[in-house]
C-alpha cells in the first residue's frame, strides 16, 4: 500500500471567500477528502475578504487539514495577486512535501510557487481553473498577453503535470504547447446528496415562496457580464406568457451589474417572477438546489462550472451554453446545450418547460451523469494517481496519465 502523501495547495484567495465561486468550493471539498484518506494536506492562502475573527499568519486545523492565512496589503488583493506573504510559510513546508497543487491561472502567486518548488526540487501540478479560456483571454487582452509572455508560459512549461478540468481546457493547454502526456483531465467533483421525496421537495419550495405548480429555473453563479444573464432574462421574457408558471431564481454575488439587471427585469414587467437571491451558501444554497427543476447557465466562458456539477447531483434538468464545456449533457440526454443567443436559449427553454415527461427524464439522467463522471470519489482517485506518480517520478508521468 502506498504511504500517505504530504500535499501542499496554494490558492490566492481563502476558502471562505465564496464570492470567488467554484474554485474555492472545489478546494474545500478536495482538501477535506484527501485529508480523510490519510494524506497530510496543507493549504496556503491569503486573507482577502477573510472575516476578522479568523487568525492570520499561523497554521490552523480545519476539517482534518491545516490552513495558513497570510496577511496581505490592499494592493496585493487584486489580480494578478502578487502575494509575497505566502513565501515564508511555503518555503518552510517544502522540505518533505511530495507535491504542490496550484489553483487559478494568470497569478503571480503561481510564479512564486514555480520558483520555490524549483529550488526545493518539489514537483507541482498546475490547474488554471478556466483562466486560459480564449474568450477570457480577450478580456484585458493586452495585459494578459504580456503576463503570458513574462510569466504564464514558464509556469505552465515547468509544471510536472497540468490538470485540465474539461476536454476543452485540455485542448487549450495543447494550443499553449503542452504535450498530451503532461495533461491529466480531472474534472471538479461533488458528493452526491440523497434523493429527496416529492413531498420534501414541495415543502422546501413552499418555504421559498413557490407553489407546487411552479417550474423553478435556477441560475447560480457570479452576477457578471461573462455569465450571460442578460441572455437568460431576454429568453425568459420570450417564453413568459406561454409558461405563466415558470419562475426564475438568480443566485450569486454581484460583480457590479445586478442593479442594471433588476432595472431590466422591471422594464419587462417580470418582478414577480424573477428573484435575485444574492450570494447563498450552506442551507440556503441546498434549499435552492432542492427546490429547482431546471438549472440554467448561459455563460460566454467557463472552465468547468462547479455549480453545474452541483445541479447535476441534485438531479436538475440542464440548460447550458456550449461554452460551459459540459458536452456530456447531450451524451446523457440530461438537458440541452444552446448557442449564446436569445433565440437558441428560448427555444430550449420551451422544450424543457413544455414537456413534463422530457423534463423528468432529463432530471433522472442528470443524476446519473453526476454519478458516472463527477462523483467525488472518482475525482480523488484520479488526483491520487497523479500525485503518487509525480511524487515518485517527477519527470515520468506518462504511464499514469494514460489511465486518468
Amino acid at each position: 500500500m502506498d504511504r500517505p502523501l504530504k500535499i501542499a495547495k496554494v490558492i490566492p484567495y481563502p476558502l471562505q471567500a465564496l464570492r470567488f465561486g467554484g474554485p474555492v468550493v472545489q478546494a474545500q471539498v478536495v482538501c477535506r477528502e484527501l485529508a480523510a484518506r490519510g494524506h497530510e494536506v496543507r493549504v496556503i492562502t491569503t486573507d482577502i475578504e477573510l472575516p476578522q475573527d479568523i487568525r492570520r499568519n499561523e497554521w490552523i486545523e480545519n476539517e482534518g487539514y491545516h490552513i495558513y492565512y497570510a496577511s496581505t496589503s490592499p494592493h496585493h488583493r487584486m489580480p494578478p495577486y502578487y502575494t509575497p506573504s505566502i513565501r515564508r510559510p511555503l518555503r518552510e513546508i517544502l522540505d518533505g512535501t511530495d507535491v504542490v497543487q496550484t489553483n487559478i491561472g494568470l497569478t503571480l502567486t503561481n510564479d512564486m510557487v514555480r520558483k520555490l518548488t524549483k529550488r526545493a526540487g518539489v514537483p507541482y501540478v498546475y490547474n488554471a481553473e478556466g483562466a486560459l479560456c480564449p474568450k477570457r483571454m480577450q478580456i484585458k487582452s493586452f495585459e494578459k498577453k504580456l503576463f503570458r509572455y513574462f510569466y504564464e508560459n514558464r509556469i505552465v512549461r515547468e509544471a510536472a503535470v497540468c490538470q485540465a478540468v474539461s476536454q476543452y481546457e485540455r485542448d487549450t493547454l495543447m494550443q499553449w504547447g503542452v504535450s498530451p502526456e503532461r495533461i491529466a483531465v480531472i474534472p471538479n467533483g461533488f458528493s452526491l446528496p440523497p434523493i429527496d421525496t416529492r413531498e420534501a421537495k414541495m415543502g422546501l419550495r413552499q418555504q421559498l415562496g413557490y407553489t407546487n405548480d411552479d417550474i423553478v429555473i435556477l441560475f447560480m453563479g457570479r452576477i457578471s457580464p461573462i455569465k450571460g444573464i442578460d441572455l437568460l432574462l431576454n429568453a425568459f421574457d420570450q417564453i413568459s406568457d406561454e409558461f405563466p408558471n415558470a419562475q426564475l431564481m438568480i443566485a450569486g454575488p454581484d460583480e457590479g451589474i445586478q442593479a442594471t439587471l433588476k432595472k431590466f427585469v422591471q422594464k419587462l414587467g417580470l418582478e414577480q417572477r424573477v428573484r435575485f437571491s444574492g450570494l447563498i451558501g450552506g442551507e440556503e444554497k441546498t434549499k435552492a438546489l432542492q427546490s429547482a427543476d431546471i438549472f440554467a447557465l448561459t455563460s460566454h466562458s467557463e472552465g468547468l462550472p462547479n455549480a453545474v456539477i452541483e445541479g447535476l447531483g441534485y438531479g436538475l434538468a440542464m440548460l447550458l451554453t456550449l461554452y460551459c464545456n459540459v458536452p456530456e449533457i447531450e451524451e446523457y440526454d440530461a438537458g440541452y446545450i444552446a448557442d449564446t443567443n436569445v433565440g437558441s436559449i428560448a427555444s430550449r427553454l420551451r422544450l424543457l418547460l413544455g414537456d413534463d415527461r422530457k423534463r423528468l427524464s432529463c432530471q433522472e439522467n442528470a443524476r446519473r451523469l453526476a454519478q458516472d463522471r463527477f462523483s467525488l470519489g472518482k475525482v480523488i482517485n484520479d488526483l491520487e494517481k497523479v500525485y503518487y506518480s509525480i511524487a515518485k517520478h517527477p519527470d515520468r508521468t506518462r504511464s499514469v496519465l494514460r489511465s486518468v
Side-chain angles (χ1 to χ4, degrees):
M1 182 177 177
D2 289 312
R3 65 172 177 82
L5 293 171
K6 293 184 177 180
I7 304 164
K9 179 183 281 286
V10 181
I11 185 168
Y13 26 73
L15 308 192
Q16 284 86 351
L18 296 180
R19 179 177 73 81
F20 293 102
V24 296
V25 173
Q26 192 62 199
Q28 289 176 334
V29 170
V30 168
C31 290
R32 184 170 61 239
E33 184 64 20
L34 286 169
R37 295 192 180 194
H39 302 295
E40 182 181 317
V41 180
R42 292 183 176 271
V43 179
I44 299 177
T45 184
T46 68
D47 65 346
I48 298 172
E49 298 189 14
L50 189 70
Q52 289 300 316
D53 60 343
I54 296 180
R55 302 193 304 275
R56 272 77 164 164
N57 303 320
E58 61 179 285
W59 289 102
I60 302 171
E61 196 278 332
N62 180 72
E63 297 186 307
Y65 59 93
H66 289 80
I67 188 164
Y68 188 102
Y69 298 105
S71 296
T72 54
S73 57
H75 57 285
H76 293 155
R77 297 173 185 171
M78 59 189 71
Y81 299 111
Y82 174 61
T83 53
S85 53
I86 73 167
R87 183 182 291 112
R88 182 180 61 80
L90 180 57
R91 187 190 296 124
E92 288 174 353
I93 67 168
L94 279 177
D95 185 24
T97 293
D98 294 301
V99 61
V100 176
Q101 171 83 58
T102 71
N103 285 80
I104 315 301
L106 301 175
T107 71
L108 288 169
T109 300
N110 287 344
D111 193 55
M112 190 180 303
V113 170
R114 179 191 67 79
K115 292 174 180 176
L116 292 178
T117 54
K118 187 174 184 178
R119 292 171 193 162
V122 178
Y124 68 89
V125 176
Y126 170 87
N127 183 355
E129 296 273 12
L132 305 188
C133 169
K135 279 190 169 290
R136 292 192 182 191
M137 291 293 289
Q138 292 172 10
I139 302 171
K140 298 183 178 179
S141 60
F142 179 72
E143 293 91 332
K144 288 181 178 178
K145 285 178 182 176
L146 287 178
F147 194 94
R148 175 177 178 175
Y149 179 81
F150 286 106
Y151 298 103
E152 201 74 7
N153 282 335
R154 186 178 297 178
I155 295 168
V156 172
R157 186 172 62 246
E158 295 185 11
V161 172
C162 293
Q163 178 187 350
V165 295
S166 66
Q167 288 295 332
Y168 177 75
E169 192 163 67
R170 177 182 183 272
D171 294 344
T172 301
L173 285 166
M174 291 176 64
Q175 291 170 11
W176 277 52
V178 182
S179 63
E181 293 83 3
R182 289 182 49 238
I183 303 173
V185 180
I186 304 176
N188 296 335
F190 181 61
S191 294
L192 268 66
I195 300 175
D196 289 317
T197 64
R198 176 173 171 77
E199 292 74 16
K201 185 181 182 77
M202 293 302 107
L204 287 168
R205 289 162 72 98
Q206 289 173 7
Q207 291 180 34
L208 294 177
Y210 297 117
T211 71
N212 292 350
D213 294 329
D214 287 336
I215 303 175
V216 180
I217 304 162
L218 173 64
F219 166 93
M220 193 163 63
R222 294 177 293 114
I223 313 301
S224 163
I226 205 165
K227 296 294 184 178
I229 304 170
D230 57 330
L231 299 176
L232 179 58
L233 288 172
N234 275 292
F236 186 77
D237 178 49
Q238 284 194 9
I239 57 87
S240 60
D241 290 340
E242 189 177 348
F243 302 100
N245 59 335
Q247 302 283 337
L248 176 59
M249 180 192 303
I250 298 174
D254 179 22
E255 296 198 347
I257 66 168
Q258 183 166 293
T260 301
L261 293 175
K262 282 185 173 181
K263 288 180 181 177
F264 182 61
V265 168
Q266 290 173 354
K267 181 180 177 181
L268 297 174
L270 294 172
E271 306 98 307
Q272 301 304 313
R273 297 177 59 186
V274 177
R275 176 186 307 183
F276 289 86
S277 302
L279 175 61
I280 57 175
E283 186 177 343
E284 281 185 296
K285 181 178 177 180
T286 300
K287 283 183 179 180
L289 286 161
Q290 290 173 321
S291 301
D293 300 289
I294 298 168
F295 186 94
L297 182 60
T298 50
S299 184
H300 296 283
S301 173
E302 295 286 345
L304 177 63
N306 205 65
V308 168
I309 297 172
E310 292 175 318
L312 289 169
Y314 279 92
L316 304 185
M318 291 283 136
L319 172 60
L320 309 179
T321 50
L322 178 67
Y323 298 110
C324 291
N325 300 315
V326 193
E328 296 92 342
I329 296 299
E330 291 186 336
E331 177 187 344
Y332 275 72
D333 194 19
Y336 295 101
I337 295 177
D339 295 326
T340 47
N341 65 71
V342 174
S344 179
I345 295 166
S347 68
R348 284 152 181 80
L349 260 182
R350 282 192 182 91
L351 293 173
L352 286 173
L353 291 168
D355 189 337
D356 293 346
R357 183 175 297 179
K358 174 65 175 179
R359 189 171 62 252
L360 179 59
S361 173
C362 289
Q363 291 169 349
E364 293 171 349
N365 292 335
R367 175 84 178 189
R368 183 166 58 88
L369 169 55
Q371 189 156 8
D372 288 354
R373 301 290 179 87
F374 303 113
S375 69
L376 184 59
K378 181 182 184 303
V379 168
I380 299 300
N381 288 344
D382 288 346
L383 278 174
E384 283 183 320
K385 288 179 185 178
V386 170
Y387 291 165
Y388 275 118
S389 172
I390 63 176
K392 294 175 181 177
H393 308 291
D395 299 320
R396 291 187 286 130
T397 61
R398 181 176 305 183
S399 61
V400 165
L401 294 191
R402 282 177 179 163
S403 66
V404 170

